[in-house]
């Protein structure tokens, strides 16, 4: 009773508001039935497809209690594997962790200089990054810590704030930047919006990495040479010019920097050559190559000690000097409105850099090592690392490509290797500050140049980009050029904006294709798979191996062989395929092209629709005075349109409204008849609901007063029993598994009786007997009986929407059947057969 009252209330309210509740019934008829079916009613079950409801959508979107528990569990991925940690994993993590620790110490110190900070802040950041990340990691290979590009961006922020708010020390600014950027990234990860990084294309990432590497390497050359007197933070091309202008100021630092850089490359080249010549020792050679940075730093630090031990106050070349022991800058980070406002314009670039490097690297190594990372969870890991790191003096950190590659090759087994690396860094912070005193600045510049050189995209990769998509190569070079002549931030923005603009252009200007039918055969060797072709071919009962129809563009613009004759569907029937979705940006472009082509290849159903000149619309004024109208009698009239929705997942109000407008336009063109609209390959229930709401999916009477004529829908049916059914396939799989289990038991039994003579023969007989028995069971199974019995079938899609078809073949059959029912027999026109 309550439901009835609520229904009456709803109907009354709808009437007051002028809402047409039966708008969903496009024909206004209550006696709509399925008409003449091509199969017998007794052989099929009736199926009416239910429409999705808002309540159903809410149930899918709103998480359940189980989903919330799973979400909380997913925030701490280490709980998934820590309980099964073992000694073998520990050995792999120890080797990898110590190796990476030996590399991250000198790199962290060098990158701190890029961030305009004392070297100890690079060690603080390195320690906190690797220590925190493993709790939240979904990648075993990634190493979190200071990286060259993010350090450069941080340095730019520090210098910018120093000009506007000099009262804030550099490390305070860097820590505040880490807190804010980390909070933003952590929030994105917590709401599981990691898909946002997919909008950054590979071309944009490669351009960013290449341009940044050039910017950083060129900026380190003056320090490498001991040249001063100008800013190394200018645009890359200006730094090159200024360096050449000031070459005369080169100092003794050049001897340290150039020789150290040369030695780093020579050692790597020698190790690569040795690995090729002695592949059996490649593991040892890899570790030697990895530790080359440590060796060179120790060597040149010893040289520096020998040269400067009597010149501690005035060294002969620049050295680090005093490096404090321990965490001297551990404190609560300073965060206030003034400080945030001073670097707010740099936040987008900082967040993008943190995300680009980490997600791109983690995805790449995940694919290489056969595991899948969760981008959203990786954002949580980056965010938390940057939120907690500043409490010990850290600045923004993210994934490092070079250290991740080393960690992967070193045989890391789990993310716990980060704890081992943290221990190594901690030892360096407390045990090695006295050694760091004599490390030359030029040596650290050599380490930076050597590290960022691997970030430059090689020419062969650029050529492969060109082979795949020349347009994206242009985007790549635009990004590199902008970075070189402007800044890293501008390079990031330009490549991302251009990539998104190209994507939007492709979506907006997507053009559909008119398609036709081609009959094909599958060929093996020099004969058809179909048993009706060739000699000596075995007969097959597989229906997919026989002749079948496929649908190709009439224009062959998909690269299909132009010599293949694509058969047009039927006179006056057009098949149109959407290429890249069907939504509000591209709906108008799609349908304008479709309507224009249809007008060009058909004629108006009633040529005398405008008896007087004044009756004609202004945009169709007809022939000039004294001239007769062109004769288009050889063209067919428009009867039906078949739309291929295989590439469409969702539609919106705008796109559906465009379809309604085109339907009305074409109905006027074919008056007094109506155009039939057949939709094929709709894969989304909400898309079906939207189209049905607009009156598609149903037959339409010729006028409002007429009743339905007999029409011929074509439904697709599937067997729900018999040898081709899903039940038979499931039974076959189960029997196959039982056969394998029986074989295993027989072999084990034969091994138990191995003391008997002829044990191998006994085992073989046991297996054969079991196989024969189960084979007879399979052959006598009702599911595989070859008797000619009539299988029970059911429709695949609902009978309530007869013009929604499962595939193009059934849509074409239905359209042709109803065109022939009308008794139309017209000559084929251009593009229609």
């Amino acid at each position: 009773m309550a439901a009835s009252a609520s229904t009456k209330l709803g109907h009354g309210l709808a009437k007051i508001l002028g809402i047409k509740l039966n708008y969903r019934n496009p024909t206004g008829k209550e006696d709509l039935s399925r008409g003449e079916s091509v199969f017998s009613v007794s052989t099929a079950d009736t199926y009416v497809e239910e429409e999705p409801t808002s309540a159903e959508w809410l149930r899918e979107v709103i998480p359940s209690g189980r989903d919330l528990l799973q979400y909380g569990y997913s925030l701490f991925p280490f709980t998934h594997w820590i309980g099964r940690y073992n000694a073998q994993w520990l050995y792999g993590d120890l080797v990898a962790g110590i190796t990476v620790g030996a590399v991250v110490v000198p790199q962290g110190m060098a990158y701190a200089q890029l961030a305009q900070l004392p070297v100890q802040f690079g060690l603080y950041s390195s320690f906190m990054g690797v220590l925190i990340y493993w709790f939240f990691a979904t990648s075993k290979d990634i190493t979190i810590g200071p990286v060259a590009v993010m350090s450069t961006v941080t340095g730019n922020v520090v210098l910018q704030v120093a000009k506007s708010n000099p009262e804030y020390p550099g490390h305070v600014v860097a820590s505040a930047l880490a807190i804010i950027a980390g909070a933003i990234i952590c929030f994105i990860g917590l709401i599981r919006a990691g898909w946002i990084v997919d909008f950054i294309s590979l071309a944009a990432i490669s351009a960013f990495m290449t341009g940044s590497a050039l910017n950083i390497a060129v900026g380190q050359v003056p320090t490498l040479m001991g040249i001063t007197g100008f800013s190394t933070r200018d645009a890359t091309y200006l730094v090159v010019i200024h360096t050449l202008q000031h070459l005369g100021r080169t100092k003794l630092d050049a001897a340290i920097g150039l020789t150290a850089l040369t030695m780093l490359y020579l050692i790597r080249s020698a190790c690569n050559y040795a690995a090729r010549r002695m592949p059996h020792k490649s593991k040892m050679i890899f570790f030697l190559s990895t530790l080359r940075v440590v060796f060179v730093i120790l060597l040149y630090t010893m040289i520096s000690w020998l040269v400067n031990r009597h010149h501690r106050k005035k060294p002969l070349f620049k050295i680090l000097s005093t490096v404090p022991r321990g965490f001297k800058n551990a404190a609560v980070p300073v965060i206030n409105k003034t400080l945030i406002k001073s670097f707010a314009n740099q936040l987008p670039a900082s967040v993008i850099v943190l995300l680009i490097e980490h997600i791109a690297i983690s995805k790449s190594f995940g694919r290489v090592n056969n595991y899948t990372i969760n981008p959203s969870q990786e954002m949580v890991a980056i965010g938390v690392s940057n939120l907690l790191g500043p409490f010990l003096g850290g600045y923004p950190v993210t994934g490092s490509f070079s250290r991740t590659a080393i960690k992967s090759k070193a045989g890391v087994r789990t993310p716990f290797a980060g704890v081992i690396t943290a221990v190594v860094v901690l030892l360096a912070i407390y045990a090695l500050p006295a050694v760091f005193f004599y490390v030359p600045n030029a040596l650290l510049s050599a380490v930076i140049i050597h590290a960022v050189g691997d970030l430059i995209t090689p020419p062969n990769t650029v050529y492969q980009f060109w082979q795949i998509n020349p347009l994206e190569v242009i985007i790549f070079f635009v990004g590199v050029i902008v970075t070189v002549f402007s800044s890293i931030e501008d390079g990031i923005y330009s490549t991302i904006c251009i990539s998104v603009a190209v994507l939007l252009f492709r979506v907006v200007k997507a053009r559909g294709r008119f398609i036709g039918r081609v009959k094909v055969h599958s060929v093996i060797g020099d004969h058809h798979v179909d048993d009706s072709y060739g000699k000596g071919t075995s007969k097959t009962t597989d229906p997919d191996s026989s002749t079948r129809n496929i649908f190709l563009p009439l224009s062959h613009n998909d690269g299909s062989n132009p010599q293949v004759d694509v058969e047009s569907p039927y006179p006056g029937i057009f098949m149109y395929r959407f290429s890249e979705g069907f939504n509000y940006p591209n709906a108008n472009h799609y349908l304008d092209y479709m309507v224009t082509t249809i007008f060009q290849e058909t004629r108006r159903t009633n040529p005398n629709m405008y008896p007087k000149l004044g009756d004609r619309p202004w945009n169709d004024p007809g022939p000039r005075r004294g001239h007769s109208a062109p004769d288009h009698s050889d063209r067919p009239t428009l009867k039906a349109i078949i739309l291929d929705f295989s590439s469409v997942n969702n539609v919106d109000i705008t796109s559906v409204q465009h379809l309604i407008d085109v339907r009305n336009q074409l109905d006027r063109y074919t008056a007094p008849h109506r155009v039939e609209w057949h939709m094929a390959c709709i894969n989304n229930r909400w898309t079906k609901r939207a189209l049905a709401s607009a009156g598609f999916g149903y037959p339409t009477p010729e006028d409002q007063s007429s009743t339905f004529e007999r029409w011929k829908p074509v439904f697709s049916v599937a067997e729900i029993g018999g040898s081709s059914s899903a039940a038979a396939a499931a039974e076959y799989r189960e029997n196959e598994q039982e056969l394998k289990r029986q074989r295993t038991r027989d072999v084990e039994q034969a091994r138990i009786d191995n003391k008997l003579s002829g044990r191998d023969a006994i085992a073989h007989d046991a297996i054969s007997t079991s196989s024969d028995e189960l084979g007879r069971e399979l052959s006598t199974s009702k599911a595989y009986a070859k008797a000619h019995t009539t299988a029970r079938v059911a429709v695949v899609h609902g009978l309530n929407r007869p013009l929604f078809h499962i595939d193009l073949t059934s849509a074409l059959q239905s359209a042709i059947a109803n065109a022939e029912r009308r008794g139309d027999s017209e000559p084929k026109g251009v593009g229609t057969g």
Side-chain angles (χ1 to χ4, degrees):
M1 186 67 183
S4 177
S6 63
T7 302
K8 291 180 179 179
L9 178 62
H11 287 186
L13 185 62
K15 187 174 182 180
I16 294 173
L17 296 176
I19 299 175
K20 298 179 180 179
L21 294 178
N22 62 346
Y23 172 73
R24 304 283 304 267
N25 182 359
T27 62
K29 305 292 181 180
E30 298 296 334
D31 57 347
L32 179 62
S33 63
R34 70 185 184 189
E36 297 175 5
S37 175
V38 295
F39 58 93
S40 172
V41 176
S42 63
T43 62
D45 289 339
T46 298
Y47 169 64
V48 176
E49 184 177 351
E50 297 293 335
E51 291 183 345
T53 63
S54 300
E56 179 182 342
W57 180 81
L58 288 174
R59 285 194 298 269
E60 293 177 355
V61 173
I62 298 176
S64 63
R66 183 181 180 87
D67 293 333
L68 293 176
L69 289 175
Q70 185 64 32
Y71 170 76
Y73 182 56
S74 68
L75 290 176
F76 302 96
F78 78 95
T79 58
H80 303 178
W81 53 265
I82 194 68
R84 291 180 288 277
Y85 202 80
N86 54 66
Q88 189 173 352
W89 287 5
L90 178 60
Y91 173 76
D93 290 344
L94 276 172
V95 174
I98 294 172
T99 304
V100 173
V103 175
V104 74
V105 169
Q107 283 192 350
M109 295 167 60
Y111 293 154
Q113 292 190 325
L114 288 176
Q116 301 295 302
L117 300 173
V119 293
Q120 64 267 23
F121 290 96
L123 297 177
Y124 303 157
S125 301
S126 301
F127 172 76
M128 288 300 289
V130 293
L131 181 64
I132 298 170
Y133 173 71
W134 79 278
F135 283 98
F136 308 95
T138 61
S139 170
K140 70 179 179 66
D141 298 295
I142 281 286
T143 298
I144 291 286
V147 296
V149 181
M150 191 63 230
S151 297
T152 303
V153 173
T154 303
N156 294 337
V157 173
V158 169
L159 292 175
Q160 174 180 306
V161 176
K163 294 179 181 178
S164 59
N165 300 90
E167 66 274 14
Y168 294 109
H171 70 274
V172 171
V173 176
S175 295
L177 177 64
I179 291 282
I180 302 302
I184 294 172
I185 294 173
C186 187
F187 174 75
I188 296 173
L190 288 174
I191 64 173
R192 292 305 193 238
W195 46 265
I196 195 171
V197 298
D198 294 333
F199 283 98
I200 304 175
S201 67
L202 179 58
I205 295 174
S206 299
F208 151 73
M209 300 293 280
T210 301
S212 300
L214 292 174
N215 181 288
I216 294 167
V218 170
Q220 289 302 304
V221 170
T223 306
L224 185 82
M225 305 288 289
I227 301 173
T228 58
F230 61 91
S231 173
T232 59
R233 294 282 169 165
D234 290 336
T236 305
Y237 79 101
L238 289 176
V239 176
V240 172
I241 294 173
H242 292 158
T243 302
L244 294 176
Q245 289 175 340
H246 294 81
L247 274 179
R249 299 182 182 180
T250 301
K251 298 178 182 177
L252 187 60
D253 301 68
I256 298 292
L258 290 175
T259 55
L261 183 61
T262 303
M263 183 174 291
L264 287 170
Y265 278 108
L266 285 176
I267 294 174
R268 186 173 73 173
S269 299
C271 289
N272 291 339
Y273 177 77
R276 290 194 300 268
R277 295 298 300 270
M278 297 179 289
H280 57 287
K281 296 183 179 180
S282 59
K283 194 74 172 177
M284 181 190 68
I285 295 171
F286 160 73
F287 284 109
L288 290 176
S289 178
T290 297
L291 297 176
R292 67 185 180 275
V293 176
V294 178
F295 169 74
V296 170
I297 284 182
L298 291 177
L299 174 63
Y300 279 87
T301 301
M302 185 181 66
I303 294 173
S304 175
W305 175 75
L306 293 172
V307 172
N308 295 310
R309 58 180 174 170
H310 301 302
H311 309 279
R312 288 174 60 93
K313 293 185 178 180
K314 293 188 65 176
L316 299 181
F317 45 79
K318 292 182 179 180
I319 58 176
L320 292 182
S321 298
T322 303
V323 176
R325 185 188 307 273
F327 297 95
K328 300 298 183 182
N329 296 94
V332 177
V334 176
I335 302 291
N336 56 53
K337 184 177 179 181
T338 303
L339 185 55
I340 296 174
K341 187 177 179 180
S342 64
F343 61 72
N345 63 327
Q346 296 287 344
L347 270 176
S350 301
V351 171
I352 291 172
V353 171
L354 288 174
L355 292 180
I356 284 180
E357 289 206 68
H358 186 94
I359 302 300
I361 295 168
S362 58
K363 282 185 177 180
S364 175
F365 280 90
R367 295 188 188 102
V368 169
N369 295 309
N370 196 29
Y371 64 87
T372 302
I373 65 113
N374 183 342
S376 296
Q377 182 59 29
E378 288 298 312
M379 290 184 182
V380 173
I382 303 171
V384 174
S385 298
N386 283 285
L387 282 170
L388 298 182
F391 286 87
L392 289 183
Y395 68 89
V397 295
T398 188
S400 165
F401 177 80
S402 60
R403 297 194 295 273
T404 298
I406 291 171
K407 191 176 181 182
S408 178
K409 291 180 181 179
V412 64
R413 302 303 299 273
T414 72
F416 187 74
V419 178
I420 311 301
T421 301
V423 172
V424 174
V425 177
L426 187 65
L427 290 174
I429 291 173
Y430 280 95
L432 298 180
V435 178
F436 296 153
F437 183 92
Y438 289 101
V439 174
N441 286 353
L443 175 61
L444 294 182
S445 293
V447 170
I448 293 172
I449 294 173
H450 183 66
V452 301
D454 294 332
L455 301 180
I456 298 176
T457 305
N460 183 57
T461 303
V462 178
Y463 176 73
Q464 291 175 358
F465 289 171
W466 178 265
Q467 293 291 99
I468 297 171
N469 190 339
L471 181 59
E472 290 197 277
V473 176
I474 297 175
I475 297 175
F476 169 81
F477 280 113
V478 168
V480 173
I481 292 171
V482 171
T483 302
V484 169
F485 286 91
S486 182
S487 65
I488 293 176
E489 295 83 355
D490 291 341
I492 295 171
Y493 296 146
S494 63
T495 52
I496 293 177
C497 290
I498 295 174
S499 297
V500 172
V502 170
L503 173 64
L504 293 176
F505 180 81
R506 286 174 176 166
V507 171
V508 171
K509 302 300 286 185
R511 173 173 289 190
R513 295 172 176 174
F514 286 94
I515 56 178
R517 182 170 51 185
V518 176
K519 185 178 293 185
V520 298
H521 307 270
S522 296
V523 176
I524 297 180
D526 58 352
H527 63 272
H528 293 81
V529 172
D530 187 0
D531 58 356
S532 63
Y533 293 87
K535 296 181 179 180
T537 58
S538 60
K539 292 190 176 183
T540 176
T541 59
D542 183 5
D544 293 331
S545 65
S546 59
T547 303
R548 62 190 186 279
N549 292 324
I550 64 172
F551 297 88
L552 298 176
L554 295 171
S555 61
H556 289 286
N557 57 2
D558 63 336
S560 56
N561 191 347
Q563 296 180 354
V564 174
D565 184 20
V566 180
E567 178 185 351
S568 297
Y570 188 85
I573 296 178
F574 291 84
M575 304 180 72
Y576 191 65
R577 174 178 291 162
F578 299 115
S579 59
E580 294 189 29
F582 182 61
N583 298 100
Y584 69 92
N586 55 28
N588 188 63
H589 189 71
Y590 269 134
L591 299 180
D592 281 352
Y593 172 68
M594 183 187 76
V595 171
T596 300
T597 304
I598 289 175
F599 283 169
Q600 290 174 350
E601 300 189 1
T602 60
R603 60 180 172 85
R604 189 181 293 275
T605 302
N606 181 9
N608 299 319
M609 187 174 182
Y610 305 115
K612 298 179 181 179
L613 182 61
D615 295 335
R616 303 188 70 95
W618 68 271
N619 60 333
D620 184 18
R624 294 180 178 275
R625 294 184 183 276
H627 293 78
S628 59
D631 183 15
H632 296 313
S633 58
D634 58 324
R635 299 181 184 178
T637 57
L638 176 61
K639 301 175 183 63
I641 295 174
I642 301 171
L643 298 180
D644 182 0
F645 274 76
S646 56
S647 64
V648 178
N649 188 43
N650 289 290
V651 294
D652 49 49
I653 295 174
T654 306
S655 58
V656 173
Q657 184 60 48
H658 278 299
L659 270 179
I660 294 173
D661 295 341
V662 169
R663 178 181 62 188
N664 296 336
Q665 179 185 11
L666 294 180
D667 282 345
R668 290 192 295 270
Y669 180 71
T670 60
H673 301 305
R674 298 289 182 92
V675 179
E676 279 190 3
W677 291 79
H678 297 261
M679 314 293 185
C681 307
I682 305 176
N683 302 313
N684 187 294
R685 294 174 63 207
W686 287 94
T687 300
K688 292 180 182 178
R689 167 176 162 157
L691 293 172
S693 298
F696 295 99
Y698 310 89
T700 305
E702 297 296 343
D703 55 64
Q704 295 298 325
S705 60
S706 66
T707 58
F708 278 104
E709 301 177 8
R710 302 297 288 174
W711 49 279
K712 295 186 177 182
V714 174
F715 297 104
S716 296
V717 298
E719 293 186 9
I720 55 177
S723 60
S724 299
S725 67
E731 181 181 352
Y732 182 80
R733 286 193 299 270
E734 179 62 29
N735 289 335
E736 283 289 314
Q737 293 173 2
E738 178 60 29
L739 176 59
K740 292 179 181 178
R741 289 193 291 268
Q742 184 64 38
R743 286 176 177 173
T744 302
R745 288 194 293 267
D746 291 340
V747 171
E748 291 176 351
Q749 183 63 36
R751 289 175 178 171
I752 294 174
D753 300 334
N754 60 1
K755 293 183 179 180
L756 300 176
S757 60
R759 57 185 180 275
D760 293 335
I762 293 174
H764 180 270
D765 291 342
I767 295 172
S768 300
T769 302
S770 175
S771 301
D772 293 342
E773 290 177 356
L774 194 54
R776 284 194 295 272
E777 292 179 9
L778 291 172
S779 62
T780 57
S781 172
K782 293 181 179 180
Y784 303 101
K786 302 300 181 182
H788 296 284
T789 58
T790 302
R792 188 160 169 261
V793 296
V795 291
V796 179
H797 281 179
L799 297 175
N800 54 327
R801 292 168 184 164
L803 301 188
F804 289 164
H805 304 277
I806 191 171
D807 59 6
L808 289 169
T809 299
S810 60
L812 181 59
Q813 290 171 346
S814 179
I816 292 176
N818 283 282
E820 291 177 345
R821 174 189 56 79
R822 291 181 179 180
D824 297 325
S825 57
E826 302 179 26
K828 296 182 180 181
V830 179
T832 60

